[in-house]
Amino acid sequence: MLARQSVGYEAVAERFHTIYFLATPHRGSDSARLLSNMLQAANLARGYITDLERGSVTLQSINDEYRNYSGLVKIWSFYETQKLKMGITSTLIVDPESAMLGYPGEEQIPMNADHRSICKFDTNMDPNYVVLRNALATTVQKISTPRREMALMSLKEDLNAPKAKESLRQRQLEDLAKFLEVSEDFEDEFATVKEARLAGTCEWLWSKQRFQTWYAAGPESPRMLWVTGKPAAGKSVLAGYVIDRLRQMHARCSYFFFRHGDTSKSKIALCLRHLAFQMASQNEQVLNILSEMRIVDKKIDIDNGLTVCRKVFVSGILQADIPTHYWVLDALDECSNIGFLFNPMLTSIDNSMPLRIFATSRETPELHKQTLSLGSNQIHHEQLSTADTLADMELLINARTKLVPLDSADHRAKLASRILVRSEGSFLWTTLVLSELSNSYSEEDIDKSLEDMPRKMERLYHRTLSTMAQATGGRKLALAILPWASCAMYPLTTKELQGALKCDVGDTFRNLEESITAVCGQMVIVDKSKKVQMVHETAREFILDENLESEFAVRKMQAHTRIARACLTYLTGEEMKPPRSSRRGATINLALKRPEFSNYACGAFSYHLARADPLMDDILSLTDKFLKTNILSWIEVIAQTQNLNPMIRVAKNLKKYFNLCAAVRSPLGSSMHNLKCWTTDLVRMVAKFAPALATSPSAIYSLIAPFCPLDSAIRSVSNAGRNLRLLGLSDVQWDDRLSCIDFRDRRATAIAYGDGFFAVSTSSGTITVYHATSCQEYKSLIHGEVVNLLEFESKTELLASCGMKLIRVWELRNGQNIYSFPAPQRIMGLAFHQGSLLAASSRNYLALWDLHDNGIQQPNRPWNDMGEDLSLRPARAPSTVSLSVSHQMLAVAHNGRPIMLWDLAEDTYYGSCGKKLPNGETSTHMVTALVFNSNPNIELMAVSYLDGELVLVNPFNDQELGVSRANCHTLAASPNGCFLAGGAGSGTIEIYGFETLRLLYRVKSSNLFIKQLAFSADSLRFSDIRGSHCNVWEPLALLRDSVDDDSSEATSTSIVDVVTSDTNAKITAIFPHPKGGFVFCGKDDGSVCAYSLKSGDEISKLYQHKTLLRIVSWWQLRNALISVDASNVILVWKLKLLQNDAWKADSMIVQFRLSYGHSIISVLHSESVDKFVLSTRCSDHLCSIDCGEEQSCTREDKGNVRKWIQHQQSEDHIVCLEGEVAAIYTWKHWTKIASIPLTAAPSELQMKNAFSFSARDGPRILIELSEAEGSFNTHALSLFDSAPLAVSPNPNEPKEGYAESNKAEDNIVCAEESPAMTAPTATLAQLLDPQLAVLAPQVAHTVGIRNGKQLVFLDIRSWICSVDLESLATRMVYSRHFFVPYDWFAGTRDILCTVIGQDVVLVRNGDVAVVKGGLEFVEFVDLHGSGERTWRAL
């Protein structure tokens, strides 16, 4: 680097070809700290040693600087794979992650060596020497290769590089196609119109001046060229020509053909997704933007046109610097929600953006209105005239008349002329006429047919229907086909229609394609893709005309009723019945037998049901039958697609059908009640069980219903005999509240959501971070004072916390406080923006810190509304502020003044806004809360006034848009810009549509004052803090409104009112009785209770503490229960089992309080003497029944977690697992008699739990590790052979039996030691290390060990799983048993769960849930990800 940086040493720098790194700690080493300590102890300290520690600033600086030169030399990195033995321990000195730079082209070579032997070889045959020698030889060969050969090699590499790049690009496109759900046949429409166009036609368009101006895409050219014309005037073929011509010109072009007859192709969302995918296929920058969006956002509501428009385009693609790109959109008038295309997308595009749009349509008032929003200079309107297409029509007629049986060329020319005159520019009319004439057999027939042919399309259609009515046969088939062709959700293929007609008319039609042509005349066609559809949109409109008098006329409601009946007939049939067994293979076999119509019936039935006649009793009966019999099979079919949004759409359609029925019949009947229940259950299952159904769709039959409320619809249809049995669940109905986190004696002071987490601060100065999905505790941060504001930086793991004195910036991954700044006076707003942290002070200025420049504070930026003199500030502090970096605007509310707007980009006063008084002036009433819409493309702000009015304003033009009576004192906006949450009085939360102020949802929980509200990143949840509680809500209203409906109808305006209350105390500790049948629980109200495992019910309240219980443990020796509460009070009560299987607290044995500054975290009691050990984070205490605390030991290393376990072979001994040592102690005097080394865990991990058990091959200890400063989830597993811990009688004493001899403490020695108790040299052998390393990333929490071999655990996807430790070495599989909803563990760090036999006991709030036979349901999962997964019930 120094040579590259110095001009005089350029020649030296050029002579460097390759650098070899052998176990070089580029990112530091954990062993550096140990080395530094050893050198300091020996008075040999070296300053540079600290630079080798992990996370060293020096190393980071070197790596960052070297990155600029890494491409100039070849890099070989060799890394060690063997641990270096250092005394009684062994470790990797430089792990592979630190040894590799990760630069492009880097050769990464593993060496079978430790840190010492990686560069020291015994002989020249040493395998490591051979590896290094061969690498050197390769380098020397490259250096010495003649230039010609080097050029050839370089050329070969250059040829291969594009292949690799193209392969990566194809993978990205495949992933993007799945993310955007782009159909594989999207080019079929273009292929159809391209084939329909005759050579030489449409060329007139290219020569038009307006087209050339648009195509030039210059600064003065319009953004859109809009071509309108009459129906059937060839607009689609013209669009195909433009696409084809642009491709010939090598221009970047994307396209979409709207089709009203295909519901999916009439949606703007599908259009935008296809355009985005095509743009990504042609532009690497767009591909990278969307690929990042796919990874970061994981899922967006791709069926919501507004969401796709704003997220994918306005906030994504259109922010990029893309070259000129053309869109071709056909049939805009057939798009059901075209407004989203114009506003907000096209209206927000900068004029310099080189995006040009060619669009065709019929001219409609709606489209004319939308185009006006672009401005006259942004759109040119070209009307398609008969003169424009005259030459094209002549070419078509001349080409097709050759098929008409005429002898004379002169006669053919006259015929062509007559057709041309009559065509009036309609290509469809011309094509249909020529098709009919081609079937004539004489010139007289031809002349007569032409004379009889109507000149208008409508008359032509009437003539076709008359011909169909006169036909002697096929009437039944035609009457059946026309409703399907005109009203189907999308065109069916002939095979799909075959199945549909079988359900519709109960008959099978052979040669259906020929039959359609024969019986439907020219009204219905079968295209090249074998799809059956109306010949043209005009034909569909004609046949659906309510004034049409014909037996073939299609009435919409009747048609939808007919199609709904056919779909429901199929869905209630034998093919959709749930399998008799829960075996996965059974469902696969059924799926293989289902006809192609099955997909349409499953996906479209509710679309037609929502439009069906509510008076038809058979439709309601079929719907009820389906919901009571085969609904689970339908859910499995939907889940197999990995997209559960259709379930939400079906729920919305069922609700529409219910509302239609409720208007004409009693809503109290059983069928109506069942229908209404499923409108809720379907949405709830998506919210709670989407991960489970996506992982195992067949789980719907057995594993989902038991976790649903007792009164839910799914509980009534599931097969109880085949179901998982769950006892003890008290939920009767669905609850909108996922979690209520209770901080007890601490007030919740602030809350904020990030991308994957949410954080809550309390009055103790502690910030607790939770996983956003599961609501489980992630880690705690100590701010040191009351925190008033929290703010996450988007797409990073940075969190800012602000108190009265300090602002801290945290890095969540390691929990480090990376910056601390003195807080300005009373911070009212906090935000991250482009690497800076902004804070709005009540002293009317913005404070800024540059986080990219070591947190240096920038000059304060004052604001005022008094002109350009920034020295003048408002005298009063604001009542509230809203800081929006997405809008680059600050809104400040002062009492007695309008709301002031400050432009952050220009750092200047922008103007004022607010609600308008009757006289037109802006109100100066006091503002209690205000918030900008979170979406930068929605220029709205919500303002709550002290008089109770909630006002929607456009702050940028000072326009009042809406007013509602709300009485909100706090507001929050959802990230997607759709929702507004307001905290009203008496503990009520109201959710509004942000752009309408329409009330969607209202929930009342408690009368406590709501301090703050916050939405999750996906806008599907919100949280509130009040008093000492944080509530997490997931109402259906947010989920329903987030998914587009199948129609353009407005969303229901009904308001959902919910009232919740807290009644039961939560269980905070659990311990099973060793003989089974019962579990003992401690609760947050201090009570200790007994529960029956036969029913899951509470059977006895035993005794009471004064505060929350942390630990309960059964002491078999004393037949007593030990309990420890949050204030370190220890109670030991002797219990008595009564005849009615109830427990009674008989007598209290022990009561005392451990007066130590830290909480007790574990208890271990002896089964041989009346003693027990209490442990805190920093100390251990030996206690007895008679004396209370007898001895204590304070630990110097407070970060090293210890676990005490009972010795497996001696009741008189215990084992302490701590760091790198397993120490054996006596129970009697707490004397350490031996220490045996353990394989050291990495310093960034800590012990989470330890399990001792007896396996077939001897005693074992399983240690569970988690991150020391991070997530409490399991990070690693270590299994040890604990045989070296065995104790035996002293050989000098008579051996009268082990049980007797080990009563004397002085006669006990370690098995590997001499009678003199010399330190052992053996270590505990580590078993299954590579296998457990593969398993550990799947484990979130270990539950226990069954039968000495089966490890039961909760995996990272919230499934209860198990693995056979005995067979793991040879069979890398684990068993998946059942799914537990995420909200069951919400708000907790420790998961309360235990396994008893085949049953699994879980805790949910105040309930003990017993999953009977939970381990009997098995799905084998290959740990390598390649195995077949098969359900089977054991």
Side-chain angles (χ1 to χ4, degrees):
M1 286 193 297
L2 295 176
R4 290 286 177 186
Q5 293 168 353
S6 302
V7 178
Y9 293 92
E10 289 180 348
V12 176
E14 292 296 334
R15 299 184 66 82
F16 283 88
H17 182 277
T18 302
I19 298 178
Y20 284 74
F21 292 110
L22 279 77
T24 305
H26 298 293
R27 294 175 177 82
S29 171
D30 293 327
S31 301
R33 185 174 298 177
L34 175 62
L35 176 60
S36 178
N37 293 338
M38 294 171 59
L39 291 174
Q40 285 181 358
N43 293 321
L44 297 173
R46 298 290 186 271
Y48 63 83
I49 297 297
T50 57
D51 292 337
L52 297 177
E53 292 182 7
R54 189 176 294 275
S56 163
V57 176
T58 302
L59 287 178
Q60 184 62 48
S61 175
I62 293 173
N63 291 336
D64 290 343
E65 192 172 358
Y66 182 67
R67 190 181 303 276
N68 300 320
Y69 307 101
S70 61
L72 303 175
V73 293
K74 183 71 176 176
I75 299 172
W76 291 67
S77 295
F78 300 83
Y79 58 90
E80 62 205 66
T81 59
Q82 302 296 319
K83 297 179 179 179
L84 178 66
K85 291 185 178 180
M86 299 186 298
I88 61 174
T89 65
S90 59
T91 187
L92 283 176
I93 301 299
V94 179
D95 58 57
E97 181 184 0
S98 182
M100 294 181 289
L101 288 163
Y103 295 154
E106 177 185 14
E107 299 287 347
Q108 300 171 352
I109 311 296
M111 301 280 274
N112 187 25
D114 58 29
H115 193 70
R116 183 179 293 115
S117 61
I118 195 169
C119 58
K120 297 179 180 178
F121 316 108
D122 296 331
T123 68
N124 59 4
M125 299 302 292
D126 189 316
N128 293 317
Y129 171 80
V130 174
V131 169
L132 189 59
R133 181 200 63 192
N134 292 344
L136 285 166
T138 301
T139 301
V140 172
Q141 182 180 8
K142 285 189 175 182
I143 295 174
S144 59
T145 301
R147 289 188 176 182
R148 182 174 178 276
E149 294 182 23
M150 284 291 292
L152 290 174
M153 290 176 63
S154 177
L155 178 61
K156 186 176 180 180
E157 291 177 357
D158 290 343
L159 290 173
N160 288 332
K163 293 180 181 179
K165 187 175 181 179
E166 178 61 22
S167 176
L168 173 61
R169 177 178 170 275
Q170 288 300 324
R171 287 198 301 272
Q172 285 181 301
L173 286 173
E174 289 172 7
D175 292 338
L176 185 60
K178 293 178 182 177
F179 175 65
L180 296 175
E181 293 186 17
V182 174
S183 58
E184 297 179 357
D185 60 349
F186 78 90
E187 288 198 349
D188 289 353
E189 200 77 45
F190 170 60
T192 299
V193 297
K194 184 178 180 181
E195 184 180 14
R197 185 175 69 87
L198 291 176
T201 58
C202 303
E203 297 291 347
W204 56 269
L205 179 64
W206 194 264
S207 61
K208 276 190 172 279
Q209 181 60 43
R210 281 193 168 182
F211 184 88
Q212 285 297 320
T213 303
W214 169 83
Y215 172 69
E220 303 301 323
S221 65
R223 182 168 305 286
M224 175 184 281
L225 179 60
W226 180 31
V227 177
T228 60
K230 297 183 297 183
K235 299 184 294 295
S236 295
V237 173
L238 192 65
Y241 164 78
V242 174
I243 297 169
D244 202 23
R245 191 62 185 265
L246 288 172
R247 286 184 171 183
Q248 292 174 16
M249 301 297 291
H250 303 290
R252 294 176 174 86
C253 170
S254 304
Y255 61 87
F256 189 81
F257 292 82
F258 288 102
R259 292 295 177 261
H260 199 290
D262 186 338
T263 305
S264 63
K265 290 184 179 179
S266 66
K267 297 281 189 177
I268 191 65
L270 182 66
C271 167
L272 294 176
R273 280 150 41 200
H274 278 74
L275 293 174
F277 179 76
Q278 293 174 70
M279 292 182 76
S281 302
Q282 302 169 65
N283 186 286
E284 186 175 355
Q285 187 180 3
V286 174
L287 177 58
N288 292 335
I289 289 173
L290 296 182
S291 295
E292 181 182 357
M293 187 180 298
R294 178 184 66 82
I295 295 170
V296 173
D297 293 337
K298 292 187 172 59
K299 68 173 184 177
I300 60 173
D301 184 6
I302 60 171
D303 292 321
N304 188 301
L306 188 59
T307 300
V308 176
C309 175
R310 290 169 173 167
K311 186 74 176 179
V312 176
F313 281 95
V314 178
S315 300
I317 295 174
L318 299 183
Q319 299 299 318
D321 184 17
I322 60 174
T324 302
H325 198 101
Y326 298 91
W327 285 358
V328 179
L329 305 177
D330 178 54
L332 286 184
D333 54 302
E334 297 185 34
C335 176
S336 61
N337 44 7
I338 194 62
F340 292 155
L341 175 66
F342 289 89
N343 187 17
M345 189 164 76
L346 297 184
T347 54
S348 64
I349 299 178
D350 187 83
N351 290 338
S352 61
M353 171 69 70
L355 176 65
R356 296 295 179 266
I357 302 169
F358 178 88
T360 67
S361 74
R362 287 183 279 185
E363 188 171 358
T364 66
E366 172 63 20
L367 273 175
H368 187 70
K369 176 183 176 182
Q370 294 292 344
T371 56
L372 288 177
S373 65
L374 294 182
S376 58
N377 62 327
Q378 289 294 301
I379 184 168
H380 281 180
H381 183 195
E382 184 79 19
Q383 290 184 313
L384 198 60
S385 67
T386 303
D388 289 329
T389 59
L390 184 63
D392 294 347
M393 188 70 74
E394 287 187 75
L395 285 173
L396 172 65
I397 294 172
N398 290 334
R400 296 291 178 85
T401 52
K402 294 178 182 178
L403 302 176
V404 179
L406 293 173
D407 298 331
S408 164
D410 183 57
H411 197 172
R412 183 173 284 107
K414 290 181 180 179
L415 176 64
S417 178
R418 292 170 64 190
I419 295 174
L420 182 62
V421 173
R422 288 170 171 262
S423 68
E424 298 181 355
S426 174
F427 284 90
L428 176 62
W429 183 93
T430 304
T431 302
L432 295 178
V433 167
L434 288 170
S435 177
E436 186 166 330
L437 293 180
S438 65
N439 294 323
S440 301
Y441 299 99
S442 67
E443 293 184 4
E444 184 179 350
D445 289 341
I446 293 171
D447 290 338
K448 186 176 185 307
S449 296
L450 187 58
E451 286 298 327
D452 294 342
M453 194 72 67
R455 292 195 177 191
K456 300 292 184 180
M457 287 302 306
E458 184 175 338
R459 293 178 181 175
L460 181 59
Y461 292 145
H462 274 291
R463 182 175 182 272
T464 301
L465 293 185
S466 298
T467 303
M468 292 167 58
Q470 295 169 11
T472 56
R475 182 178 283 101
K476 177 183 177 182
L477 179 58
L479 288 171
I481 289 174
L482 283 172
W484 287 93
S486 60
C487 292
M489 186 175 172
Y490 56 82
L492 281 72
T493 65
T494 52
K495 289 185 178 180
E496 288 175 325
L497 185 58
Q498 188 82 261
L501 293 175
K502 185 176 181 180
C503 294
D504 185 4
V505 298
D507 201 354
T508 301
F509 300 91
R510 296 181 179 179
N511 302 319
L512 184 59
E513 184 173 348
E514 296 177 8
S515 300
I516 291 172
T517 304
V519 303
C520 294
Q522 296 174 331
M523 297 293 291
V524 181
I525 62 169
V526 180
D527 66 17
K528 288 187 64 176
S529 302
K530 301 298 182 181
K531 292 180 179 179
V532 181
Q533 52 192 320
M534 302 302 293
V535 67
H536 192 264
E537 175 60 20
T538 55
R540 196 184 76 86
E541 293 171 355
F542 171 79
I543 205 70
L544 293 176
D545 188 348
E546 293 182 359
N547 298 318
L548 176 64
E549 296 181 0
S550 169
E551 65 176 310
F552 296 104
V554 176
R555 306 296 180 232
K556 283 187 179 181
M557 181 175 284
Q558 294 177 8
H560 286 300
T561 302
R562 180 173 189 161
I563 298 175
R565 182 183 293 112
C567 291
L568 288 168
T569 299
Y570 173 79
L571 292 174
T572 55
E574 292 292 323
E575 292 172 353
M576 285 296 292
K577 278 192 174 181
R580 292 182 178 179
S581 72
S582 59
R583 296 178 184 269
R584 182 186 173 100
T587 64
I588 294 175
N589 292 334
L590 282 175
L592 293 175
K593 296 177 182 178
R594 291 170 184 156
E596 293 193 31
F597 174 61
S598 174
N599 290 333
Y600 185 88
C602 290
F605 84 93
S606 71
Y607 169 80
H608 299 290
L609 185 63
R611 294 157 179 80
D613 187 349
L615 292 172
M616 299 300 294
D617 292 335
D618 67 320
I619 298 297
L620 181 59
S621 297
L622 281 170
T623 304
D624 186 52
K625 181 181 178 182
F626 165 63
L627 296 176
K628 288 179 177 178
T629 57
N630 297 352
I631 181 70
L632 299 186
S633 299
W634 175 82
I635 293 174
E636 182 192 27
V637 170
I638 299 302
Q640 286 169 347
T641 67
Q642 303 292 296
N643 176 20
L644 299 185
N645 278 343
M647 291 176 63
I648 300 175
R649 286 192 214 100
V650 167
K652 295 176 76 172
N653 284 329
L654 289 179
K655 188 173 183 180
K656 287 181 181 178
Y657 180 63
F658 173 85
N659 291 337
L660 289 174
C661 291
V664 296
R665 63 176 77 231
S666 172
L668 302 178
S670 61
S671 297
M672 292 288 286
H673 175 74
N674 190 37
L675 179 62
K676 186 177 182 180
C677 288
W678 276 108
T679 64
T680 297
D681 279 23
L682 288 175
V683 182
R684 287 297 185 184
M685 280 192 283
V686 174
K688 283 185 175 288
F689 302 106
L693 290 172
T695 301
S696 286
S698 58
I700 187 63
Y701 297 113
S702 307
L703 307 180
I704 301 298
F707 291 91
C708 299
L710 299 175
D711 287 351
S712 61
I714 188 175
R715 289 289 287 259
S716 64
V717 301
S718 59
N719 187 334
R722 191 180 59 206
N723 262 351
L724 201 70
R725 289 182 58 214
L726 192 148
L727 307 175
L729 191 65
S730 64
D731 291 342
V732 176
Q733 296 178 337
W734 297 103
D735 190 358
D736 284 350
R737 183 166 57 183
L738 289 183
S739 176
C740 176
I741 305 171
D742 190 352
F743 299 104
R744 308 300 295 176
D745 55 347
R746 296 172 291 156
R747 287 181 298 103
T749 59
I751 185 171
Y753 267 93
D755 291 329
F757 305 97
F758 72 94
V760 183
S761 62
T762 62
S763 53
S764 67
T766 299
I767 305 164
T768 308
V769 183
Y770 300 88
H771 291 280
T773 302
S774 65
C775 300
Q776 288 178 250
E777 186 177 331
Y778 175 61
K779 65 175 57 177
S780 292
L781 311 172
I782 307 300
H783 183 91
E785 61 173 330
V786 175
V787 173
N788 300 318
L789 290 171
L790 291 169
E791 183 73 17
F792 282 91
E793 183 176 24
S794 177
K795 298 182 181 180
T796 71
E797 292 189 352
L798 294 185
L799 169 68
S801 58
C802 176
M804 293 295 292
K805 297 179 180 179
L806 285 175
I807 296 176
R808 299 184 186 272
V809 180
W810 308 85
E811 191 173 69
L812 289 187
R813 180 175 298 178
N814 53 29
Q816 291 185 356
N817 176 204
I818 57 177
Y819 294 111
S820 292
F821 311 123
Q825 183 172 341
R826 195 185 161 212
I827 296 299
M828 305 182 71
L830 206 60
F832 287 96
H833 181 56
Q834 296 181 350
S836 294
L837 179 64
L838 288 69
S841 169
S842 63
R843 298 297 297 273
N844 297 294
Y845 68 87
L846 275 175
L848 295 90
W849 294 268
D850 189 345
L851 304 184
H852 288 170
D853 191 11
N854 297 318
I856 293 178
Q857 185 169 1
Q858 304 298 308
N860 292 335
R861 294 166 57 179
W863 68 70
N864 67 49
D865 55 359
M866 303 174 185
E868 298 183 359
D869 188 355
L870 297 183
S871 63
L872 298 175
R873 299 184 190 175
R876 296 182 180 180
S879 60
T880 184
V881 303
S882 179
L883 184 57
S884 174
V885 294
S886 58
H887 290 283
Q888 283 291 281
M889 195 66 67
L890 171 70
V892 184
H894 289 92
N895 191 20
R897 295 186 184 182
I899 299 168
M900 186 199 77
L901 299 175
W902 188 264
D903 190 324
L904 297 178
E906 301 296 331
D907 199 22
T908 186
Y909 173 66
Y910 183 88
S912 63
C913 66
K915 73 173 180 177
K916 301 306 173 188
L917 300 175
N919 61 6
E921 294 183 358
T922 302
S923 172
T924 59
H925 294 168
M926 184 173 181
V927 174
T928 58
L930 59 104
V931 63
F932 281 95
N933 191 292
S934 301
N935 192 311
N937 306 295
I938 305 177
E939 297 181 337
L940 297 176
M941 183 169 66
V943 186
S944 180
Y945 285 87
L946 186 62
D947 61 6
E949 288 191 336
L950 178 63
V951 182
L952 183 67
V953 300
N954 183 331
F956 299 94
N957 60 16
D958 190 18
Q959 182 182 3
E960 180 185 304
L961 302 175
V963 180
S964 177
R965 195 75 184 172
N967 292 303
C968 296
H969 56 265
T970 182
L971 297 173
S974 64
N976 64 3
C978 295
F979 307 112
L980 172 70
S986 303
T988 301
I989 301 172
E990 296 177 335
I991 304 295
Y992 300 85
F994 202 119
E995 298 181 70
T996 61
L997 286 190
R998 179 170 61 87
L999 183 61
L1000 304 173
Y1001 176 82
R1002 180 165 48 213
V1003 60
K1004 178 177 173 59
S1005 177
S1006 67
N1007 292 325
L1008 293 174
F1009 176 83
I1010 299 171
K1011 182 172 179 58
Q1012 192 179 348
L1013 296 161
F1015 278 92
S1016 62
D1018 60 8
S1019 301
L1020 299 182
R1021 294 180 181 177
F1022 66 90
S1023 297
D1024 73 79
I1025 54 173
R1026 61 182 88 187
S1028 62
H1029 296 112
C1030 171
N1031 298 298
V1032 183
W1033 307 90
E1034 189 176 52
L1036 294 184
L1038 300 189
L1039 194 57
R1040 281 199 180 109
D1041 276 32
S1042 70
V1043 176
D1044 246 7
D1045 198 356
D1046 290 321
S1047 74
S1048 57
E1049 300 173 22
T1051 307
S1052 170
T1053 58
S1054 60
I1055 302 170
V1056 181
D1057 280 301
V1058 177
V1059 178
T1060 65
S1061 60
D1062 303 309
T1063 55
N1064 298 329
K1066 292 183 180 179
I1067 295 173
T1068 54
I1070 185 172
F1071 199 90
H1073 191 278
K1075 295 183 179 179
F1078 308 96
V1079 291
F1080 302 105
C1081 299
K1083 300 186 178 182
D1084 62 0
D1085 65 353
S1087 61
V1088 179
C1089 305
Y1091 283 76
S1092 169
L1093 295 182
K1094 294 180 181 179
S1095 63
D1097 296 333
E1098 180 181 327
I1099 54 175
S1100 304
K1101 180 177 178 180
L1102 302 173
Y1103 56 91
Q1104 182 78 38
H1105 281 254
K1106 292 183 178 180
T1107 185
L1108 174 147
L1109 267 297
R1110 294 192 184 277
I1111 301 169
V1112 292
S1113 181
W1114 179 256
W1115 195 349
Q1116 185 66 27
L1117 176 68
R1118 302 298 303 237
N1119 205 36
L1121 194 67
I1122 303 178
S1123 55
V1124 181
D1125 66 23
S1127 61
N1128 281 3
V1129 171
I1130 301 99
L1131 299 181
V1132 182
W1133 275 83
K1134 185 174 182 179
L1135 303 186
K1136 183 177 181 181
L1137 181 61
L1138 306 179
Q1139 290 184 351
N1140 61 352
D1141 279 348
W1143 286 89
K1144 175 185 177 183
D1146 193 27
S1147 59
M1148 186 166 62
I1149 303 173
V1150 173
Q1151 179 181 13
F1152 73 96
R1153 182 176 182 272
L1154 182 66
S1155 299
Y1156 193 78
H1158 296 82
S1159 298
I1160 297 171
I1161 59 175
S1162 68
V1163 173
L1164 180 67
H1165 43 76
S1166 171
E1167 297 298 343
S1168 62
V1169 293
D1170 288 338
K1171 295 188 178 185
F1172 52 94
V1173 173
L1174 304 174
S1175 293
T1176 72
R1177 185 86 178 186
C1178 308
S1179 62
D1180 297 306
H1181 308 265
L1182 180 67
C1183 305
S1184 68
I1185 289 179
D1186 297 328
C1187 306
E1189 183 180 2
E1190 291 186 351
Q1191 299 182 48
S1192 64
C1193 176
T1194 303
R1195 306 290 177 171
E1196 293 182 2
D1197 187 359
K1198 298 181 180 180
N1200 205 1
V1201 176
R1202 304 166 312 288
K1203 292 293 179 182
W1204 291 88
I1205 60 175
Q1206 176 63 45
H1207 197 287
Q1208 291 166 275
Q1209 289 115 330
S1210 171
E1211 289 185 348
D1212 295 327
H1213 295 81
I1214 52 175
V1215 178
C1216 179
L1217 304 172
E1218 181 178 13
E1220 304 171 3
V1221 174
I1224 304 174
Y1225 289 77
T1226 64
W1227 265 116
K1228 188 173 183 181
H1229 296 299
W1230 215 23
T1231 304
K1232 180 161 63 173
I1233 64 171
S1235 293
I1236 298 181
L1238 290 172
T1239 301
S1243 60
E1244 65 271 15
L1245 301 182
Q1246 67 178 3
M1247 197 179 310
K1248 177 182 176 182
N1249 216 333
F1251 302 88
S1252 60
F1253 62 97
S1254 297
R1256 183 175 59 182
D1257 298 329
R1260 299 285 186 266
I1261 295 176
L1262 179 74
I1263 295 179
E1264 181 184 14
L1265 301 167
S1266 63
E1267 295 180 15
E1269 299 295 338
S1271 171
F1272 200 58
N1273 280 358
T1274 301
H1275 194 279
L1277 296 168
S1278 296
L1279 181 64
F1280 295 95
D1281 179 0
S1282 56
L1285 294 175
V1287 292
S1288 62
N1290 191 314
N1292 296 326
E1293 298 292 329
K1295 300 180 180 180
E1296 299 179 359
Y1298 180 81
E1300 184 175 329
S1301 63
N1302 68 11
K1303 292 179 182 178
E1305 176 195 336
D1306 296 336
N1307 291 337
I1308 303 299
V1309 297
C1310 185
E1312 286 79 18
E1313 295 180 354
S1314 66
M1317 299 299 294
T1318 58
T1321 58
T1323 61
L1324 298 188
Q1326 198 164 349
L1327 310 174
L1328 299 175
D1329 192 28
Q1331 290 83 2
L1332 292 177
V1334 177
L1335 175 67
Q1338 305 299 322
V1339 180
H1341 175 77
T1342 55
V1343 176
I1345 307 288
R1346 287 185 67 248
N1347 302 328
K1349 64 176 183 177
Q1350 188 179 14
L1351 170 63
V1352 182
F1353 61 91
L1354 180 77
D1355 80 352
I1356 56 176
R1357 298 173 188 84
S1358 203
W1359 285 77
I1360 293 292
C1361 305
S1362 67
V1363 65
D1364 190 323
L1365 296 175
E1366 289 185 354
S1367 63
L1368 187 60
T1370 57
R1371 189 168 180 238
M1372 291 289 289
V1373 298
Y1374 68 92
S1375 301
R1376 189 182 281 150
H1377 301 293
F1378 61 88
F1379 176 81
V1380 184
Y1382 284 120
D1383 60 289
W1384 279 43
F1385 308 122
T1388 64
R1389 183 173 176 87
D1390 298 316
I1391 293 175
L1392 301 180
C1393 180
T1394 187
V1395 58
I1396 303 172
Q1398 287 283 73
D1399 303 338
V1400 178
V1401 180
L1402 300 158
V1403 167
R1404 184 175 188 233
N1405 296 329
D1407 293 335
V1408 170
V1410 184
V1411 185
K1412 303 296 288 185
L1415 302 184
E1416 295 175 358
F1417 291 82
V1418 178
E1419 179 190 28
F1420 295 115
V1421 182
D1422 190 339
L1423 275 166
H1424 295 301
S1426 59
E1428 181 72 19
R1429 299 183 302 183
T1430 307
W1431 275 103
R1432 65 189 185 93
L1434 296 179

